[in-house]
Amino acid sequence: MAEILVFHHGHGLTAGVLEFTDTLRKAGHTVHAPDLFEGRQFASLEEGMEYAEEVGIDTVAERGTAAAQELPADLVYVGFSLGVLPAQKLAQTRPGARAVLLLEACLPVSEYGDTWPENLPVQIHGMDADPFFAEEGDVDAARELVESAADAELFTYPGDRHLFTDSSLPTHDEHATAQVTKRVLDFLDRVG
């Protein structure tokens, strides 16, 4: 079983993110989910991103990095959208990562290094018409990552919803989330 560090998206640490962590725990994994927004939740993604920009996107990412310092090095990092920033940064820069799951976002590998860490498994999920994932370059970065890494998978799902994996948001897509959950659990079984 894996020890997992989950980073939430721009709405904050929502009930949907906590439900996801509970699913991982029920599968036998140890899961940590720090609140990068210090208790704040936002009704809209725009409000949450305004907050993140006010305190500083780098500050939010550093809160994630700080949370990892208290934990073992061989973590599986999971990021939802905004949470991909600390997840991907830690996966690429903190030695010992076991694997990384990037949900609904992906940064170019060059953001945190020259190449993807050797033998670091990664799985990426997003909707094929999500205006953030598909139209802002994330899916292109994901494709480049998959081409360059030894153990990488990209899964796209039909639809235009961002944060479709969060069951507490109106953008939730139950069918696509069920597929994501199965693939994530299979991935964790393989890398755990």
Side-chain angles (χ1 to χ4, degrees), residues 2 6 11 22 26 44 52 56 62 70 73 79 81 84 96 106 121 125 127 132 138 140 145 153 157-158 177:
V6 177
H11 283 270
D22 287 343
K26 287 176 186 168
S44 74
E62 286 306 314
E70 304 298 319
S81 189
V84 163
C106 182
H125 300 268
M127 284 200 159
F132 298 99
D138 293 62
D140 299 324
L145 173 51
E153 300 174 292
Y157 306 85
T177 299

Side-chain angles (χ1 to χ4, degrees), residues 167-189:
S167 63
S168 66
L169 297 177
T171 53
H172 178 61
D173 182 306
E174 186 175 344
H175 177 70
T177 299
Q179 290 179 304
V180 171
T181 301
K182 180 180 182 341
R183 289 171 171 157
V184 164
L185 291 173
D186 289 347
F187 178 76
L188 292 172
D189 285 346

Side-chain angles (χ1 to χ4, degrees), residues 48-151:
M49 292 310 296
E50 283 176 18
Y51 167 77
E53 289 171 8
E54 281 175 24
V55 299
I57 298 289
D58 289 341
T59 298
V60 173
E62 286 306 314
R63 288 174 182 168
T65 301
Q69 299 312 310
E70 304 298 319
L71 300 171
D74 66 337
L75 295 168
V76 174
Y77 298 104
V78 179
F80 286 87
S81 189
L82 176 66
V84 163
L85 276 71
Q88 191 169 334
K89 178 182 181 180
L90 286 161
Q92 286 189 243
T93 63
R94 185 178 190 223
R98 183 176 288 184
V100 63
L101 287 155
L102 306 176
L103 303 171
E104 307 185 61
C106 182
L107 299 169
V109 170
S110 61
E111 189 75 23
Y112 300 115
D114 295 330
T115 60
W116 189 253
E118 189 174 350
N119 300 319
L120 178 62
V122 58
Q123 194 176 79
I124 308 159
H125 300 268
M127 284 200 159
D128 61 9
D130 171 352
F132 298 99
F133 184 74
E135 297 174 20
E136 292 187 358
D138 293 62
V139 72
D140 299 324
R143 288 184 182 121
E144 288 176 20
L145 173 51
V146 167
E147 287 174 17
S148 69
D151 187 354

